[in-house]
Amino acid sequence: MAQEIATVDESTGEIIDATPRTTRGLVNTLHPQSFEERKAAFNAVNNATSLDDMGEKHVSIIAIVQAPGVRADRNGGPDQPCTNTTLVGADGKGYFTQSEGIARSAYNLVATFGVQWPEPLEVHVKKTQLANKNTLKTLVVD
């Protein structure tokens, strides 16, 4: 049984705040060796463009970087914890998202392929419309 810290309303016993299970710790599959490779890795992650701007484009990725993040609530509520995911492309560019579907896919990529790959992984984003009108985004390996 997992143990989580939560804030509980003492009068009702209702959980007010809890860390969501989808927020993960740091994942970093980058393995730069030289100083030049480290600079390139930093620039890819630090200056990443939105994964949404990628559209249906297929991209070859060489690494994944994930860290806990915070995003604004869509309904005007308090900011929400999330997972910041950056896919590092073989083209030297970074692609950033706070999508939990992409975060889960990236986590599963690491679980399946490990942290070092013999070649880049070709991926694209799959968008599935859910019944509640939300969109679930996942990664598909080509």
Side-chain angles (χ1 to χ4, degrees):
M1 174 185 249
Q3 293 182 352
E4 297 179 348
I5 297 174
T7 304
V8 178
D9 182 324
E10 292 181 17
S11 62
T12 65
E14 179 182 18
I15 294 176
I16 300 169
D17 182 27
T19 303
R21 296 174 192 261
T22 55
T23 301
R24 296 168 185 84
L26 179 67
V27 172
N28 184 352
T29 66
L30 284 169
H31 299 285
Q33 302 299 314
S34 70
F35 189 66
E36 290 303 314
E37 288 174 341
R38 289 173 191 220
K39 290 192 303 187
F42 172 82
N43 286 333
V45 173
N46 197 56
N47 298 296
T49 60
S50 172
L51 186 63
D52 283 338
D53 294 342
M54 197 173 96
E56 299 297 319
K57 175 183 167 185
H58 294 238
V59 64
S60 293
I61 62 169
I62 59 170
I64 297 168
V65 177
Q66 290 185 310
V70 177
R71 71 169 160 231
D73 183 76
R74 292 180 186 158
N75 300 317
D79 291 348
Q80 298 296 310
C82 66
T83 304
N84 291 339
T85 301
T86 302
L87 306 176
V88 180
D91 59 3
K93 296 178 182 175
Y95 302 92
F96 174 83
T97 184
Q98 291 184 321
S99 161
E100 287 301 323
I102 298 293
R104 188 172 40 258
S105 289
Y107 181 84
N108 288 335
L109 280 175
V110 173
T112 303
F113 293 96
V115 295
Q116 286 189 303
W117 312 323
E119 60 189 53
L121 290 173
E122 184 85 14
V123 299
H124 72 274
V125 175
K126 176 182 175 185
K127 297 178 183 178
T128 304
Q129 187 79 32
L130 303 176
N132 65 0
K133 304 296 183 211
N134 286 345
T135 302
L136 174 65
K137 297 176 190 172
T138 58
L139 294 174
V140 176
V141 177
D142 298 318

